[in-house]
């Protein structure tokens, strides 16, 4: 309920719609009635009828691709311009996100988020040579010898945004579907996997992607200390704050973003109990 009580009410039906995505195949028959009642009560649960869920602690490649395919069917024939996927420990500032997306509405085939680079080993479903700048890490770890595809940009899983046109191309790609099916119910690192597949579609001219990287300052992992890296304190201009592992952390970020509490490192540590970052 931390999400429902903080950023989910920020959605404006005419501008954005957010929901919880659950793979229904993993839900026990004993739990289904309660989950269906919750879905009816809140209207914010989106079921993937034929998808396993909860097999790992991270979003699987199979679940993520099932979402993109289901989203394509949901927005087909509508005026929806963008579709996103966020992690369940992300706080999304929907009004700020909407403002950030306005300039991109004029662009074709957008792929956006905070974008590092990495190579990818498609047979092992593993990224190789993660870097924020260039191919140096890919070369350092000899990723080519391990069968890795050369580095490409990919949006971190905290917030992945695709134009509806890109979602359509992704959902209709036989290569992408085969890749996701082959991954099975337990392969993870879905963000790098999505970047890999989209890069392949871009290279083969199935879709001419517009890569739109967000600044880390506006889309970061949660921390109580200042810094220039991915871990930063929340601010009222944050688009997304990730790595909120406790409901109290989500509520604290909400209070900073909505302006009811000013940020200070001491108060952040006191309220959240964080001592190590």
């Amino acid at each position: 309920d931390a999400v429902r009580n903080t950023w989910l009410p920020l959605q404006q039906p005419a501008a954005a719609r957010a929901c919880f995505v659950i793979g229904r195949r993993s839900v026990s028959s004993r739990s289904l009635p309660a989950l269906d009642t919750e879905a009816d009560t809140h209207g914010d649960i989106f079921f993937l009828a034929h998808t396993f869920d909860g097999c790992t602690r991270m979003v699987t490649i199979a679940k993520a691709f099932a979402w993109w395919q289901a989203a394509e069917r949901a927005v087909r024939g509508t005026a929806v311009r963008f579709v996103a996927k966020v992690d369940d420990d992300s706080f999304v500032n929907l009004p700020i996100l909407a403002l950030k997306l306005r300039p991109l509405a004029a662009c074709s085939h957008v792929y956006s988020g905070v974008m590092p680079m990495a190579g990818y080993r498609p047979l092992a479903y593993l990224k190789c040579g993660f870097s924020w700048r260039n191919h140096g890490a890919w070369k350092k770890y000899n990723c080519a010898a391990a069968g890795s595809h050369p580095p490409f940009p990919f949006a971190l899983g905290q917030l992945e945004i695709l134009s509806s046109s890109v979602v359509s191309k992704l959902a209709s790609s036989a290569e992408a579907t085969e890749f996701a099916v082959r991954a099975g119910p337990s392969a993870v690192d879905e963000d790098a996997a999505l970047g890999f597949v989209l890069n392949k579609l871009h290279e083969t001219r199935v879709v001419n992607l517009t890569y739109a990287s967000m600044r880390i300052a506006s889309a970061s992992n949660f921390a109580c200390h200042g810094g220039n890296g991915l871990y930063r304190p929340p601010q009222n201009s944050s688009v997304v704050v990730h790595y909120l592992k406790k409901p109290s952390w989500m509520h604290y970020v909400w209070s900073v973003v909505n302006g009811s509490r000013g940020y200070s490192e001491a108060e952040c540590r006191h309220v959240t109990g964080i001592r190590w970052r």
Side-chain angles (χ1 to χ4, degrees):
D1 285 341
V3 172
R4 286 193 178 115
N5 293 328
T6 56
W7 67 266
L8 209 63
L10 295 175
Q11 61 185 321
Q12 299 174 346
R17 177 74 187 275
C19 58
F20 300 95
V21 179
I22 297 175
R24 196 173 176 92
R25 283 190 67 181
S26 300
V27 182
S28 68
S29 57
R30 187 164 47 185
S31 299
L32 273 175
L35 194 58
D36 286 335
T37 298
E38 182 178 352
D40 292 339
T41 300
H42 296 281
D44 57 11
I45 294 179
F46 190 106
F47 287 112
L48 300 173
H50 306 294
T51 302
F52 287 102
D53 206 348
C55 301
T56 70
R57 297 182 65 180
M58 301 169 66
V59 177
T60 63
I61 293 170
K63 180 183 178 181
F65 275 75
W67 158 245
W68 294 118
Q69 290 174 328
E72 188 280 328
R73 293 190 294 271
V75 305
R76 187 188 304 162
T78 71
V80 172
R81 297 299 304 273
F82 298 100
V83 180
K85 171 263 166 192
V86 303
D87 286 337
D88 60 4
D89 58 349
S90 289
F91 178 101
V92 185
N93 193 340
L94 291 172
I96 299 295
L97 176 59
L99 289 175
K100 295 285 186 182
L101 290 178
R102 282 182 185 175
L104 296 178
C107 301
S108 300
H109 312 314
V110 171
Y111 176 31
S112 184
V114 173
M115 290 188 160
M117 300 183 70
Y120 196 76
R121 295 169 56 194
L123 297 181
Y125 297 95
L126 295 172
K127 60 180 178 287
C128 186
F130 181 97
S131 172
W132 288 105
R133 295 188 177 182
N134 50 42
H135 294 193
W138 189 75
K139 294 177 181 178
K140 176 181 178 181
Y141 295 108
N142 202 19
C143 296
S148 171
H149 186 278
F152 51 85
F154 69 97
L156 293 178
Q158 56 176 239
L159 175 62
E160 302 161 75
I161 304 169
L162 303 181
S163 292
S164 55
S165 59
V166 178
V167 176
S168 178
K169 295 292 186 181
L170 179 66
S172 62
S173 168
E175 182 181 8
T177 299
E178 180 184 356
F179 174 83
V181 170
R182 195 170 64 244
S186 59
V188 294
D189 281 348
E190 55 79 25
D191 49 4
L194 176 64
F196 169 72
V197 170
L198 290 178
N199 179 257
K200 296 291 286 185
L201 296 181
H202 181 73
E203 287 181 337
T204 55
R205 300 184 179 181
V206 173
V207 59
N208 184 23
L209 289 174
T210 298
Y211 288 90
S213 185
M214 289 185 173
R215 296 172 60 246
I216 294 176
S218 63
S220 60
N221 283 352
F222 178 55
C224 284
H225 64 76
N228 297 320
L230 186 58
Y231 285 84
R232 299 173 182 237
Q235 50 190 336
N236 56 17
S237 60
S238 296
V239 176
V240 60
V241 181
H242 179 238
Y243 209 79
L244 300 172
K245 297 301 184 181
K246 296 181 180 180
S248 61
W249 298 7
M250 185 79 69
H251 285 283
Y252 172 76
V253 169
W254 166 231
S255 67
V256 172
V257 169
N258 70 22
S260 63
R261 169 187 272 131
Y263 164 77
S264 76
E265 180 174 341
E267 185 178 25
C268 177
R269 294 190 185 282
H270 173 72
V271 171
T272 64
I274 292 177
R275 298 290 178 266
W276 54 275
R277 59 180 169 92

